């Protein structure tokens, strides 16, 4: 059994003291554990099912992070929910595995980050999940299950999107694209970056495919003013309330 546990580092900002567990292949666990430690969290990790069960039985965690490559990943998530009935779960997954996560996402007790993994995104989702549970900070933040930008609301618990009072009818691919743009709002994303975030590293799409997808999403999102989806010619696309230089 390969089991890795870490001692607590002083919290980077003095208030993030939540206890997290990372379950997954050793390479993934090490990278994520190190970043979470630097951010000030108490962390423990396991790369085998046996090691995971030992930790889950011995301690109550504020949040569980599971790589879907971990054997019996869904079973482990279920065990944690049954063990203490509280800790939310963050899945690290491929886009091709999202369908299997729908039961968890629909309950509002889980979130996901698509591979290839980007630590700023993982840290952001950890913070949201902990705030939703009221853990990790003295004050309790208002509960929300998704992302908000102005009158655009994306709810990960129900996989629904609204622009003001209007609910948007999005395909799963359009939903993933909008979620990607929301997570990086104000940041210009290249077509290559969008392809990796929406379809995964091994499923790159042509420029025409991405342009077509952006066009379809823009028609659904930007029926109301102001337009939110913008093009930075020669660079890529970004989401935000202002058009900015070089956008269309």
């Amino acid at each position: 059994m390969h089991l890795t546990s870490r001692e607590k580092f002083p919290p980077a900002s003095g208030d993030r003291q939540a206890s997290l567990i990372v379950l997954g292949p050793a390479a993934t666990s090490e990278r994520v554990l190190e970043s979470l430690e630097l951010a000030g969290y108490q962390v423990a990790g396991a790369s085998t099912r046996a090691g995971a069960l030992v930790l889950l039985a011995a301690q109550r965690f504020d949040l569980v992070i599971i790589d879907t490559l971990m054997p019996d990943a869904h079973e482990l998530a279920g065990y944690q929910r049954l063990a203490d009935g509280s800790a939310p779960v963050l899945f690290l997954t491929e886009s091709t595995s999202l369908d299997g996560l729908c039961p968890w996402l629909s309950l509002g007790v889980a979130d996901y980050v698509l591979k290839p993994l980007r630590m700023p995104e993982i840290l952001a989702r950890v913070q949201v999940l902990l705030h939703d549970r009221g853990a990790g900070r003295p004050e309790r933040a208002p509960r929300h299950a998704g992302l908000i930008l102005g009158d655009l609301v994306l709810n990960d618990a129900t996989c629904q999107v609204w622009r003001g009072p209007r609910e948007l009818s999005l395909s799963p691919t359009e939903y993933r694209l909008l979620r990607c743009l929301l997570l990086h709002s104000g940041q210009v994303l290249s077509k290559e970056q969008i392809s990796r975030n929406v379809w995964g590293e091994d499923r790159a799409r042509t420029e025409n495919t991405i342009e077509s997808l952006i066009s379809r999403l823009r028609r659904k999102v930007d029926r109301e003013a102001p337009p939110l989806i913008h093009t930075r010619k020669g660079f890529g696309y970004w989401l935000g309330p202002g058009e900015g230089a070089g956008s269309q």
Side-chain angles (χ1 to χ4, degrees):
M1 176 177 70
H2 174 73
L3 182 65
T4 303
S5 61
R6 303 299 185 96
E7 295 296 326
K8 174 185 173 184
F9 277 48
S13 60
D15 58 2
R16 283 183 289 182
Q17 302 177 35
S19 180
L20 316 181
I21 180 172
V22 182
L23 310 177
T28 300
S29 296
E30 287 298 319
R31 177 187 173 196
V32 177
L33 284 167
E34 290 175 3
S35 297
L36 290 170
E37 281 181 342
L38 290 174
Y41 295 105
Q42 294 179 319
V43 292
S47 60
T48 67
R49 182 179 183 278
L53 291 174
V54 168
L55 287 176
L56 290 171
Q59 181 177 346
R60 298 181 69 176
F61 292 92
D62 296 311
L63 187 142
V64 182
I65 300 174
I66 302 180
D67 190 320
T68 54
L69 289 179
M70 182 86 173
D72 303 316
H74 292 193
E75 179 185 337
L76 287 170
Y79 177 88
Q80 173 62 15
R81 296 298 303 174
L82 292 173
D84 60 30
S86 63
V89 178
L90 179 65
F91 289 103
L92 312 179
T93 187
E94 306 282 352
S95 60
T96 53
S97 301
L98 283 178
D99 288 346
L101 302 184
C102 286
W104 291 98
L105 298 176
S106 65
L107 293 173
V109 297
D111 200 351
Y112 67 91
V113 173
L114 286 178
K115 298 178 182 180
L117 300 177
R118 293 167 179 78
M119 285 311 307
E121 183 177 357
I122 292 175
L123 291 170
R125 302 317 296 167
V126 165
Q127 187 177 47
V128 167
L129 285 169
L130 289 174
H131 278 191
D132 281 354
R133 301 299 302 180
R137 292 182 183 270
E139 72 277 7
R140 297 180 67 91
R143 179 171 177 80
H144 57 87
L147 300 166
I148 300 173
L149 178 67
D151 63 350
L152 181 67
V153 178
L154 183 149
N155 189 320
D156 272 335
T158 61
C159 296
Q160 292 174 290
V161 180
W162 292 267
R163 180 81 194 266
R166 179 173 62 90
E167 184 176 354
L168 309 185
S169 178
L170 303 183
S171 69
T173 304
E174 290 167 347
Y175 181 91
R176 293 198 299 271
L177 171 59
L178 182 58
R179 190 178 191 276
C180 168
L181 292 172
L182 269 168
L183 282 170
H184 301 88
S185 60
Q187 175 184 343
V188 177
L189 298 179
S190 68
K191 292 177 180 177
E192 181 182 357
Q193 289 174 309
I194 289 173
S195 180
R196 289 201 306 266
N197 276 277
V198 175
W199 289 286
E201 196 163 18
D202 298 328
R203 304 183 68 192
R205 290 300 191 269
T206 66
E207 291 190 1
N208 288 341
T209 300
I210 295 171
E211 289 171 3
S212 176
L213 180 60
I214 288 283
S215 179
R216 293 201 310 270
L217 184 62
R218 183 178 273 142
R219 286 196 297 270
K220 295 180 179 182
V221 171
D222 287 343
R223 281 170 49 184
E224 292 85 3
L228 296 178
I229 300 175
H230 312 287
T231 303
R232 186 63 50 84
K233 291 183 178 179
F235 293 94
Y237 304 95
W238 64 284
L239 188 79
E243 293 192 359
S247 61
Q248 64 180 29

